[in-house]
Structures are given as C-alpha cells and as structure tokens.
Amino acid sequence: MENAVVLDRLTKRFGRFTAVDEISLSVRTGEIFGFLGANGAGKTTAIRMLCGLLLPTSGSGSVAGFDIYRRSEQIKLNIGYMSQKFSLYGDLTGYENLWFYGSVYRIPAGSLKARIGELASSLELEEFIRRPARSLPTGWRQRLALAAALLHRPRILFLDEPTGGVDPVFRRRFWEILYRLADGGTTLFVTTHYMDEAEFCGRISIMHQGRIVAAGNPQELMRTYGQNNLQDTFVHLISRGGADA
Amino acid sequence: MRKLYYIAAKVMRHIIRDPRSLVIAILMPIMMTLLYGYAINLDIKNIRLAVLDFDRTSASRELANKFFNSGYFRVPGASADLMDPERILQSGRADAILIIGPGLAKALEKGESFELGLTIDGADANYAAAAASYSQIVLGSFLKEHAGALGRAPGIALSQRVLYNPDLKSSHFFVPGLIAIILMMISALLTSVTIAREKETGTMEQLLTTPVTPLQVIIGKVLPYSALALLDGTLIILFAVLHFGVPFSGSVALLFAFGVVYVIAALSIGVLISTIVNTQQVAMMAAMMATVLPSVMLSGFIFDIDTMPAVLQCVTYIVPAKYFLLIIRGIMLKGSGVGVLAIQAVFLTALAAVLLGTASKRFKLKIG
Amino acid sequence: MVQTIAALIRKELLQIRRDRIMLRLIFIMPLVQLLVLGYAVSTDVKFIGMAVHDCDRSSLSREFVRSFSAGDYFIPRDSGLPLLEIERGFQENAYDAVLIIPPDFSKTLAAGGAARAGFIVDGTNANAAAISLGYAGIITAQFNGRTASREVPISLRQKVLYNPEGESIYFMVPGIIAVLLTMITVMLTAMAIVRERELGTLEQLVVTPISTPALILGKTIPFAILGFVEMSIALAFGVLWFKIPFAGSWPLLYALAFIFLFTTLGVGMFISTATRTQQQAMFFSWFFSIYTILTSGFFIPIANMPAAVQYLTYLNPLRYFMKIVRSRNASSSSCGR
C-alpha cells in the first residue's frame, strides 16, 4: 500500500525565521494521522505546503503521489480541506454552498445533485440544507463544511482543528463520521488541541518550534515517555523540546 | 466611562495599526484640497475660437485680437475650412467660430449697423452659454474703444467692486466647502462601515455578550472617527490658509463649535445606516447615497441651489451640508458672527438633534 | 475553466440577489443619481439676487434698474438696509450683488455727462461673481446704446449647434452614466476578493483547483454584468425621461463601454488584491473614483486646469470614456472622433 503523504526534510523559512524545520513523516493510506503542536509550532505552515498553497524552501514531499513543488493542481483535485474557522458563504444556503463547491471541483451537474443528496443523508444534514448557512448552529455548520470538503471524494482529507467550539456530544459524533471515512479508505490528516481526540488517531506526531519532536502510536508514546495520558506526554515533550532548542 | 475608554482605545489601535488606511485618511483630504484648489476652476477660459475673417482690415484683425487677448478665448490648433466652417466644431477641434463678413471696417467708419456671426458647439450647455456671454463682453469693450469714432454720448459708467474675494479665486470658494464634504465622508461613511464590519465578521455579537452596553460600544467606535474627522478638517483649513491664501476672517472657536454639531449629525447618519445594513459593501453604498452624494450635489458646494427645480430645492433643506457650507464660508470668508448665522445654526442644530434621536432609538431597537 | 467561472459568477450573482438592501441600492442608485444630477447640475449663473439703492429715484434711474431684470439674470429688489449696512445682507446671504445709484444720476445724464453707478458683488463664489460682473457690464452698455437713441451698431448673431436649447441635461446625463459605471465597478470589484479574505471564505477557495485567472474572471464578470445593467437602466431613463436625443450607434457605445470596463475592473481587482480589509479597499477605491471623476472633465473643463494637472488627466481612463459617451449622445459625429 502506498503512502498518502510523504515528507522528507521539508523546510520553510520566512526571511530569517524558520517556521518549519526539516520535518520528515509519512502517512499511510486510510490512516487517521494526528498532527499536534502548540500554537505557533508551525502546523499551519506545514499544512499550507501540503495543500499546495505555499512552496517549501527546501526538502521534498508528495501528497497523494503528487510532488508538492510541481503538481499542486493535481494535489488540490485529490484533497479536501476543512478549517477551524467556518469558511462557507453565510448568506447562501447549505445547498447553494455545496452546489458551488461541487461545480468548482468540476463535478457534472447530474452527478452533483445525487452526491449532495448522498452526503446530506449520511451527515444527517437534510433538515438544514435549505437554510442560510449563517443561521445554522455551530455543530451543523461544521458538518456542512465537512460535506463541502467531501463532495469530490478526496483521497486525503485535511482537517485543521475541525471541532473547535463544538460541544462534546457533537464532537463524539463527528469522530464517528471520521472513522467511517477512514474505513472507506480516505486518509485523514487532523490537527487538534484536544488531547482526548488525539487518542482517537492511529498515529500522531508532535511538533514544537518547527520540528517534529516525537511521532508514533499514542499508546506507544505514552509508554515511551512514561506518562499516564497524552496531555502529560505532550507537556513533557514540549518542555523537553524547549530545553534543547 | 472606563469601558468607553477601552473601546475607543481599541478602535484607535485599529486605526493606527492599519497604516494604509491612516495614510489615506490623512492624505486624501490634502490631495482633494490640492485638486479642488488647483484643478477646479469653473470660470471658463481658453475657449478655442476659430476666426474666419472675410473683411481682412486692421479693424477686423483688431477685433480678433481683442477676443484672444481677453483670456477667455484662444487660437485652436486647426483653422476652419472656408467652405464648411462647421466641420471644425463637429470634429471637436474648436469650440466656436467667429465669422467676420466683409464690410466691418466700413460699417465702423460710417456708423452703420453690421452683423458678426458666432457659431458655438452647444454640447456642453454651460460652456456654450459662457462662450456666448464672454463674446458679448469682448464685443462690448471693442465698441467702447470705438465709441469716440461713433460719436456716442458717454452715458453711464459702472464702477464695479468685488467683496470678500477681490481676486475672484475659485479656491476661496471650494476649499472651505471641501471641509463640509470631508467631515461628512469620514464621519458617516467610516462609522457606518466600521459598525457594519463588526456585524459582518460577527465580533459585534461577542462585544455585546460582555458587560458593555450597546450605547457604549457605539460611542467608543464613533469617538475616534470624529477625532479623525476634526483633525482632517483642521488640516484642510491650515492648508487652505497657508497654501492657498484663503482668508480666515471669523472666529475659530465658533467654527469649531459648529463643526462639532455638524459631525454629530454626520455620525448619526452613519449609525442609522449601520442599523439597517449587515455588510460593509452595502453600508458603503448606502452611505454614498445618503451622505456623500447630497453633500456634493445638493448643498450648494458646486451647484447653485437657486437654479435647481423647486422640488430639489425643498430636498436641500434636509441636507446638513447645506447649512454647514453657509456657516463655514460665512465665518472664513466674510467674518460672519453668530448673529447673522442664527438661522443656519438653528436648522443645523435641529437637524443634528433629530438625527441623533432617531439613530439612538433605532440602534436600541435593532442592536441593543 | 468555463464551468468554474460559471460557478463563481452564479454564486456572486446569488449573493447579490440575496441581499435585499444591496439589490435595491443597485437599482435605485442610478435613478436617484440621474434625477438629482440631471436637474441639479447646472453651472448657469441666473437669478442673482440684487439689492438696489436708488438714491436718485428718477424715472431714468428706475428704467436703468428695470433693464437689469431682463433675461432672468438679476432679480432686483429693494435692499431694505441703510447704505452703510449693505454688507450685512451679504453675510446673511440675502443677496449676492448691490446696485447703487447716486442722487445726481439723472441730472448728470441729462447734462450729457458720465453718470457713475456702483455695482458691488459678493466674491465668495468666484465664478458666479465674474459672470455677474460681465452681465452688469453688458446691461449697462446696452442701456447706454438705447438712451443714445440708437442701436449698438455692431451686433453679434449667435448660433448654437447640437444643443440649441442649451439644455445642460443633454450634457450631464451621459456624463453621469460614465461616472456611475466607474464608481460601481471599481468599488464592488475592489471589495470582491478582500471581502472573501476578511470573512475567511477565501481560505476554502484557494484549496480548490480554481486557477488564479478563473478566480479573477469569475470575480470580475459579475460586476461587468452589473455595470452593463446599470448603464442600460441609466441610458433608458435618460432617453425616455430626459428625452436625450441618441444619435450614435448603440452597439458602438456598448463596445466602447466594454473596453472602458477593462480599466475600472482592472483597477478594482488590483485594489482588492493589494488590501487586507474591506475598509482599506473602500478607501482606495474612493480615492481612485474621486480622482478620476474630478479630472475627467465631468463638470470641470479640463482646459481650465493647470498644465501639470492636465497632463495627469491623460492617465485617466474616464477622461476618454467621458468624451465618448458625450459625443455619442450629444452630437452625431462619426466613430473617428
């Protein structure tokens, strides 16, 4: 099975500031990969490079088998992206939003209609899809954003803090949906602040000051660093990483 | 009071942190002053006059020179075609043609009546009207010089005098008026857009969940912009006086007091607009319609209210800029005091009070 | 590419349609502007309030005053103020000019001497003051001619081409259409991309396979359409309501407007990508609009401006379009112009 994401010593500098410092990692197809790190650790810069929005300074990488330097167009066709901030059009209805994004991903009108119906029922959005997106409760808005990111059946889904500001019940159900997706073969690349969520991931990496300080299965990591939970592991790694930086 | 201070300080920080906007907010009035001061000159000069002289005498040449030396007319780049003189107007290479038929010199000598022809491109009616009356002025002075030869009685001599602006500088008229426009633009446009921005990005909701009252939010938002507006006004006045030599003959304190009343009226319109709209785009368009357009067009800033149709003249009574224009021109150019400006002052204050009342009522209803 | 652009246009028009106030503004704005500007904009100097101080009170002095009321230029009336306080009337804006006739006026004239009359004008509005000075001079010269019981020997027969009634509306309305087109297209386009940036929706757009040219086209075409709709409404209104004779060719006007729109949409797009907030975009587009309108010759003849400013106007796209609409409409000149 090929790897969905492969990074080798990927680096991004802004002037003299190194935002991402030689990170290497690989994400297997169908895996849920947790990309953790404190604010300002360089997560967002890394994700922007993976999505083809930013050119790296050095190092190499491929997403869905496409080179991140030269094939950003192909990458964009094969990934979905959903961010912490609601970024759909509030004045349009859910359906109009989905129709717009579907057209942008060049889905033919006939199959787009069916696809929207399919997603709406699997994400239980039918009730809300005709209302202006602005008027939806946060949890439903997030599902709508997920639906928009899934329209074109991406092979890899990037989720940037997808559950920010959502209550625990909604979060739990959101993760159930993510598991279903992963079972269907979609690779999930998730950043999160919630350590209990990070435990849902098959593998995680922890980033600090532009570097990956640890990576592996959450349970393994806890054992390796002798901590009882992921939260403590995270704090332990960050303070240690801070010391040798 | 402290909360107010925090909000105002926050907005002030926003303004200062956004150097592009700040630069424009300060540069724009100066640029506009320069443009209005130099570029805007409604006196029509340099009308391109093609002369067709069939008389070819010293008298006819003298008449033509009289036209060109008047300052109103100048020689066009092309000369008129004898067979089809109007072609030069059609092609846009001249604005008027003066046709001097044969016999002018003879008619002058004998005191006979004689007719000259003037054909004017009427596409711009104002320009055409000016060309018509200027040519009469030139002809009048030509005849006056030949009056002796014509044996005319001296008649009435009109001695003319111009008050307040003896050099007839357009900048004295436009630059003080510009202050009315800029104050309105900054106060109404910026407030409506800045409040709409909080609504659009959802930060208004967040602000209202804190223990600040809506009224405090508004006052806090409005204060920095009124300060900016008054600063701009001061800049323009300094520029007008120092650079363009516009006189300031009245009381500075009085002008400042009226300026504050005017800014209150403008800010109220801005708040009123922000209670109606939800996005910055719409706020901008609405503010343009409700404030900038009437302040420029219906205030007497450029176009004389007396020549407007009656319906429009009625509309001008609710345009705050109309009163402020009369006040600022009166104070700066004529040195008017409170006594003579009483009517304008009453109207402006009443208008500001009504606008402020409506705005705060609607604001409580819609946002508070 | 085509499907993507079509989707963007559809979305943009949907958003415009969704906003009721915006929609109303878009349609009402050109009409209100046309009405207000069409009627208000006139730099004709007429109906000048003139206070009269007739110290002579003879039939000759009354006749002289009466000659000022011909032709709607002056409205003579008694000042009602003592001679020493006439300045008060200027300050109260009660009148703009004063005519003073000294006590020995008719006696001097009868004796064949030169009688002096005084004419004082409020110079605040420099243009109006200069014109009223001119009118007063002409009226006096004509009066002199008449009292000398002979016509002014040399007269000027004036003929006005293309707009013989001297309607400034014929000239202003096409100009307003050009101004409207500039303001709407520059401002709305300027806000188009920066708005998505500010609201965060741009983030979602850039991860889709939309190419930059497609994004720019999809963001400008809706406003070009809007510009054409606005122009058509304004033109229809101008022709049907103001009865402006339209002598030129419609397709040519639209084709030239299309070329003109490239410049305004381009500027708008540039502003939109160079700014970070809608407020900044608004500021910049305002600045651009004001500059272009002022230096386009819309109501200030370019020939009047100082040489340096005149050169600046060559950089102004509206300057050319202003010439185009006005000549298309007002006269029947050919395309070569």
Side-chain angles (χ1 to χ4, degrees):
Chain A
M1 208 199 273
E2 73 172 294
N3 284 325
V5 177
V6 182
L7 303 182
D8 185 25
R9 282 172 293 147
L10 194 72
T11 302
K12 180 70 193 178
R13 288 194 198 91
F14 297 102
R16 293 174 63 189
F17 171 68
T18 307
V20 174
D21 193 2
E22 297 202 339
I23 61 169
S24 303
L25 60 84
S26 58
V27 179
R28 285 186 293 275
T29 301
E31 184 176 36
I32 299 184
F33 187 84
F35 196 56
L36 314 191
N39 285 329
K43 282 180 303 181
T44 310
T45 309
I47 288 194
R48 287 178 67 81
M49 287 192 283
L50 293 182
C51 295
L53 303 180
L54 203 62
L55 274 180
T57 311
S58 64
S60 64
S62 74
V63 171
F66 299 106
D67 183 68
I68 59 172
Y69 284 93
R70 288 185 296 271
R71 308 289 298 278
S72 64
E73 169 95 353
Q74 284 302 314
I75 291 177
K76 284 175 180 178
L77 275 171
N78 284 288
I79 61 163
Y81 174 80
M82 180 196 157
S83 89
Q84 53 187 338
K85 202 183 160 208
F86 180 69
S87 50
L88 299 183
Y89 300 97
D91 46 352
L92 300 182
T93 66
Y95 193 87
E96 286 162 347
N97 268 301
L98 293 180
W99 188 273
F100 169 66
Y101 277 103
S103 316
V104 163
Y105 281 108
R106 303 167 200 169
I107 303 172
S111 43
L112 179 55
K113 204 175 167 195
R115 178 70 180 146
I116 293 176
E118 189 186 312
L119 278 170
S121 75
S122 75
L123 298 176
E124 297 158 43
L125 271 168
E126 286 117 323
E127 251 184 275
F128 302 97
I129 207 160
R130 297 282 171 193
R131 294 204 341 218
R134 181 197 299 126
S135 68
L136 298 181
T138 318
W140 296 107
R141 269 196 232 173
Q142 241 122 2
R143 285 192 187 193
L144 185 64
L146 183 65
L150 289 173
L151 276 168
H152 56 297
R153 301 179 199 276
R155 284 158 61 192
I156 308 168
L157 186 60
F158 288 91
L159 299 143
D160 190 4
E161 319 236 343
T163 53
V166 180
D167 66 61
V169 183
F170 252 101
R171 267 168 60 199
R172 171 68 68 164
R173 287 172 65 187
F174 194 82
W175 273 93
E176 283 166 12
I177 295 168
L178 295 188
Y179 270 118
R180 254 187 1 241
L181 281 168
D183 288 344
T186 309
T187 311
L188 297 169
F189 194 98
V190 191
T191 74
T192 180
H193 272 323
Y194 300 107
M195 287 306 144
D196 55 333
E197 277 188 358
E199 287 179 39
F200 295 143
C201 299
R203 258 172 0 115
I204 58 171
S205 73
I206 295 175
M207 217 174 155
H208 181 62
Q209 292 182 341
R211 291 160 177 253
I212 289 178
V213 289
N217 177 280
Q219 278 70 36
E220 277 171 26
L221 282 179
M222 281 187 262
R223 271 198 305 278
T224 314
Y225 295 101
Q227 305 292 334
N228 294 327
N229 56 49
L230 209 50
Q231 182 84 36
D232 293 341
T233 316
F234 185 75
V235 173
H236 172 80
L237 278 165
I238 297 282
S239 44
R240 209 190 59 149
D244 53 48
Chain B
M1 235 9 241
R2 276 188 52 171
K3 283 178 206 154
L4 257 183
Y5 166 78
Y6 287 132
I7 294 174
K10 172 189 160 258
V11 176
M12 218 53 204
R13 261 202 308 280
H14 273 303
I15 298 178
I16 292 167
R17 279 219 193 113
D18 183 357
R20 270 182 267 205
S21 294
L22 193 65
V23 163
I24 275 231
I26 291 174
L27 263 187
M28 183 151 77
I30 293 178
M31 292 284 287
M32 274 175 78
T33 314
L34 276 174
L35 263 178
Y36 274 87
Y38 281 123
I40 299 206
N41 191 347
L42 288 175
D43 355 318
I44 291 164
K45 277 181 195 155
N46 298 320
I47 301 166
R48 291 167 304 164
L49 178 76
V51 177
L52 274 180
D53 184 356
F54 294 102
D55 192 42
R56 293 176 185 280
T57 56
S58 63
S60 69
R61 275 189 291 275
E62 190 198 328
L63 178 64
N65 283 335
K66 195 106 197 133
F67 269 89
F68 296 126
N69 293 336
S70 67
Y72 300 127
F73 300 94
R74 69 174 173 87
V75 186
S79 53
D81 182 356
L82 290 179
M83 303 310 291
D84 184 8
E86 282 170 16
R87 228 187 118 80
I88 196 170
L89 295 188
Q90 198 178 19
S91 64
R93 279 173 294 155
D95 306 308
I97 315 166
L98 174 69
I99 301 166
I100 308 173
L104 172 74
K106 222 173 269 167
L108 265 178
E109 218 170 278
K110 295 185 178 161
E112 284 167 353
S113 69
F114 183 80
E115 206 177 51
L116 298 161
L118 184 75
T119 311
I120 306 166
D121 179 351
D124 181 348
N126 294 321
Y127 212 73
S133 45
Y134 292 149
S135 55
Q136 292 286 9
I137 296 174
V138 173
L139 185 62
S141 80
F142 177 75
L143 289 176
K144 211 162 137 195
E145 279 167 25
H146 289 267
L150 294 167
R152 288 254 307 279
I156 303 164
L158 198 65
S159 64
Q160 298 180 322
R161 211 183 127 207
V162 179
L163 286 184
Y164 311 122
N165 183 7
D167 302 329
L168 292 175
K169 283 191 181 158
S170 287
S171 56
H172 290 16
F173 184 60
F174 283 119
V175 174
L178 196 59
I179 295 168
I181 309 290
I182 298 265
L183 286 187
M184 179 57 81
M185 257 177 71
I186 302 245
S187 315
L189 197 73
L190 281 190
T191 14
S192 66
V193 170
T194 187
I195 298 174
R197 179 186 188 173
E198 301 261 340
K199 277 166 93 177
E200 191 175 34
T201 51
T203 45
M204 181 62 102
E205 245 170 84
Q206 210 147 37
L207 261 182
L208 291 180
T209 55
T210 63
V212 239
T213 68
L215 194 67
Q216 286 171 323
V217 172
I218 289 304
I219 295 174
K221 291 222 80 133
V222 144
L223 272 180
Y225 286 102
S226 21
L228 191 64
L230 291 172
L231 176 76
D232 273 343
T234 316
L235 267 176
I236 302 175
I237 291 180
L238 280 177
F239 210 68
V241 174
L242 298 178
H243 187 81
F244 286 106
V246 178
F248 197 119
S249 15
S251 141
V252 177
L254 188 65
L255 181 61
F256 187 79
F258 281 123
V260 170
V261 176
Y262 179 63
V263 166
I264 290 174
L267 292 171
S268 308
I269 300 178
V271 172
L272 210 56
I273 290 171
S274 69
T275 61
I276 301 167
V277 304
N278 287 316
T279 66
Q280 296 179 66
Q281 249 177 341
V282 184
M284 182 192 74
M285 302 253 291
M288 215 160 75
M289 275 275 284
T291 62
V292 182
L293 215 62
S295 303
V296 174
M297 299 302 167
L298 296 176
S299 63
F301 172 56
I302 299 181
F303 307 112
D304 191 16
I305 294 175
D306 291 334
T307 54
M308 293 176 194
V311 184
L312 277 185
Q313 288 199 25
C314 291
V315 178
T316 64
Y317 283 99
I318 56 163
V319 177
K322 168 189 170 151
Y323 306 107
F324 190 65
L325 268 173
L326 289 173
I327 290 170
I328 192 168
R329 282 180 181 150
I331 292 178
M332 283 186 72
L333 302 176
K334 304 182 188 175
S336 307
V338 195
V340 288
L341 294 172
I343 302 169
Q344 278 85 31
V346 168
F347 268 100
L348 182 63
T349 315
L351 211 54
V354 170
L355 285 168
L356 185 66
T358 326
S360 39
K361 203 169 151 193
R362 256 203 77 92
F363 184 77
K364 268 184 211 136
L365 209 74
K366 284 281 159 181
I367 298 174
Chain C
M1 179 90 168
V2 176
Q3 197 199 351
T4 318
I5 295 174
L8 273 164
I9 295 172
R10 207 181 102 105
K11 183 217 94 189
E12 212 68 39
L13 293 178
L14 208 58
Q15 282 184 303
I16 294 170
R17 217 179 64 198
R18 189 75 17 113
D19 197 324
R20 290 266 168 77
I21 304 170
M22 175 81 146
L23 202 61
R24 262 180 255 168
L25 278 175
I26 284 174
F27 286 95
I28 294 173
M29 191 145 98
L31 298 188
V32 173
Q33 264 186 322
L34 268 179
L35 268 177
V36 169
L37 286 168
Y39 284 120
V41 171
S42 137
T43 43
D44 297 354
V45 178
K46 276 189 167 180
F47 312 113
I48 304 156
M50 183 180 79
V52 177
H53 270 278
D54 186 354
C55 306
D56 191 40
R57 294 180 184 280
S58 63
S59 64
L60 197 64
S61 70
R62 272 190 291 272
E63 202 193 318
F64 181 54
V65 170
R66 237 190 335 271
S67 69
F68 273 81
S69 48
D72 285 345
Y73 296 125
F74 293 98
I75 303 179
R77 59 166 172 270
D78 231 31
S79 76
L81 287 169
L83 193 55
L84 289 174
E85 284 176 38
I86 50 166
E87 207 183 318
R88 215 183 127 88
F90 285 129
Q91 292 193 341
E92 286 173 345
N93 296 298
Y95 44 72
D96 297 308
V98 179
L99 177 67
I100 302 165
I101 300 172
D104 55 352
F105 183 75
S106 53
K107 215 187 285 170
T108 316
L109 272 180
R116 288 205 155 270
F119 186 75
I120 306 172
V121 39
D122 181 344
T124 310
N125 184 347
N127 177 52
I131 291 178
S132 45
L133 288 176
Y135 289 152
I138 294 168
I139 289 168
T140 312
Q142 283 171 343
F143 185 81
N144 283 339
R146 272 204 303 281
T147 47
S149 71
R150 54 190 296 183
E151 288 305 305
V152 177
I154 295 175
S155 59
L156 197 62
R157 183 174 45 88
Q158 294 177 332
K159 181 173 141 196
V160 176
L161 288 184
Y162 311 124
N163 180 10
E165 299 87 11
E167 287 278 6
S168 40
I169 285 178
Y170 291 176
F171 189 63
M172 289 317 293
V173 170
I176 298 161
I177 294 172
V179 166
L180 259 174
L181 205 57
T182 312
M183 289 178 79
I184 296 260
T185 50
V186 171
M187 288 187 182
L188 292 184
T189 325
M191 287 184 131
I193 285 185
V194 74
R195 179 174 190 215
E196 299 233 5
R197 193 198 301 275
E198 198 172 71
L199 296 183
T201 50
L202 192 66
E203 203 188 327
Q204 193 69 50
L205 263 188
V206 290
V207 295
T208 68
I210 293 183
S211 62
T212 313
L215 181 63
I216 288 176
L217 281 175
K219 277 278 173 189
T220 41
I221 293 173
F223 301 106
I225 296 173
L226 211 62
F228 275 115
V229 171
E230 297 265 307
M231 185 172 106
S232 307
I233 296 174
L235 275 175
F237 199 69
V239 172
L240 298 176
W241 178 268
F242 286 112
K243 304 266 187 293
I244 293 171
F246 189 91
S249 122
W250 289 100
L252 183 63
L253 178 63
Y254 274 90
L256 291 172
F258 184 73
I259 297 171
F260 172 67
L261 280 180
F262 269 96
T263 64
T264 58
L265 294 172
V267 170
M269 199 37 73
F270 174 73
I271 293 173
S272 203
T273 48
T275 51
R276 296 196 162 271
T277 65
Q278 291 187 73
Q279 245 177 337
Q280 286 178 349
M282 189 189 73
F283 257 142
F284 279 100
S285 44
W286 256 103
F287 192 64
F288 176 80
S289 301
I290 288 170
Y291 162 74
T292 46
I293 293 167
L294 280 182
T295 59
S296 67
F298 175 45
F299 39 50
I300 301 105
I302 293 175
N304 278 2
M305 299 173 186
V309 182
Q310 284 196 33
Y311 284 118
L312 272 178
T313 67
Y314 287 107
L315 289 175
N316 180 355
L318 185 61
R319 170 186 201 231
Y320 305 103
F321 190 62
M322 188 64 71
K323 242 190 158 142
I324 291 168
V325 257
R326 283 183 165 163
S327 62
R328 292 278 84 216
N329 283 337
S331 66
S332 53
S333 57
S334 61
C335 186
R337 187 169 170 176

